[in-house]
Amino acid sequence: MFDKIGLIGVPSSAGAHGVGQEKAPQALRRAGLVTGMESSGIEVVDFGDLPLALYQPRSANRKQQNLARVVDIARRVAERVDEVLKQQLTPVVIGGDCTITLGVLAGYLRHVENLGLLYFDGDIDLNTPATTHSGIFDSMGMAHMIGEGADALSHIGPRFPLMREDHIVLFGFDPLEVEPWQWEALEQRQMLRFPVTSFDGQPTEVARSALSQLEQRAEIVLVHFDVDAIDSADFPHHNEGQSLSEALECFRIFCSTPNCGGLELTEVNPDHDVDGSMVPTFTRLLVKALTEAPASSS
């Protein structure tokens, strides 16, 4: 588990379908994220929030909405992650939309070359400006990590492409959200794939297997956790996924390995918390996942 973390808030919905996600960093703090970690023995250095970046409709380029703003935020995230690592802290980045992952990778790759990514997400995000219907970069993150899409975004890091395909695990995605052409593209790719339909009632065992395979390839593993991997009955969004408790148990497994070099959390939208209970419940379980060892494999 983590001993000393550098917390980075990224209040951005620049790459999203609308506003709301930019409120997540402050909502998670108010719900006790920092105090919960500190009371469990984790030293937290809070680097505060980056500047607010809101989704704006009617972008000049319908297929690349808010590109300049998305690139700017990713670059700022990279600088902040670099700063955290220079202080020998483990970066924990709370967003914000999924495009912040590109900045996290760009910053981390300044320090570690053999980097693996555990992409725990309800989607595979392989759209590009050429294939998108919405023009929202939130659905294009993975494509830009592997060198496709808009040059300004895919070239923000110290190498191109940012990630080797065989150093990426796609975990927990909903197959119903994958278009036929994306399945065909996946067959040509080297990412390890663990859709939610493959869990067969044993998500933690599949999580351990996915992590083990990635650790055989990568020196350091970063964890990307998009809450749309959680079933919409427990966390409002558009996907069918794991229950909240199951998802966070898998997340706990990923974060507990000594090879976990940091994590980023995306897509929490406080505007969906109608009665004010969702964010506090999620935060409490998140702190538990970050501070307690997972149950032993049977």
Side-chain angles (χ1 to χ4, degrees), residues 7 23-40 46 49 94 235 265 268-270 273 275-288 290:
L7 185 67
K23 301 174 184 177
Q26 287 302 317
L28 291 167
R29 286 195 179 90
R30 286 194 298 270
L33 178 62
V34 175
T35 55
M37 289 190 292
E38 289 177 333
S39 65
S40 298
D46 194 340
D49 286 354
I94 49 176
F235 219 90
L265 175 71
V268 173
N269 191 333
D273 191 1
D275 65 0
S277 65
M278 181 183 76
V279 172
T281 298
F282 175 76
T283 304
R284 176 176 54 79
L285 293 175
L286 179 65
V287 169
K288 184 177 179 180
L290 289 171

Side-chain angles (χ1 to χ4, degrees), residues 115-119 126 142-143 145-148 159 161-170 185-193 214 217:
L115 189 63
L117 177 64
L118 201 303
Y119 202 73
L126 276 177
M142 181 57 61
M145 291 175 208
I146 61 175
E148 300 180 359
R159 71 183 185 195
L162 277 173
M163 290 297 298
R164 291 174 50 181
E165 293 178 13
D166 63 353
H167 279 47
I168 298 172
V169 165
L170 301 173
L186 279 178
E187 292 302 319
Q188 307 302 317
R189 301 296 184 183
Q190 300 178 57
M191 289 94 83
L192 298 171
R193 306 188 294 275
L214 186 57
R217 306 178 182 200

Side-chain angles (χ1 to χ4, degrees), residues 14 24 33 62 83 95 142 153 182 226 240 261 265 275 291:
L33 178 62
R62 181 67 179 78
E83 183 181 353
M142 181 57 61
L153 194 54
Q182 292 177 321
D226 182 335
E240 302 302 318
L265 175 71
D275 65 0
T291 58

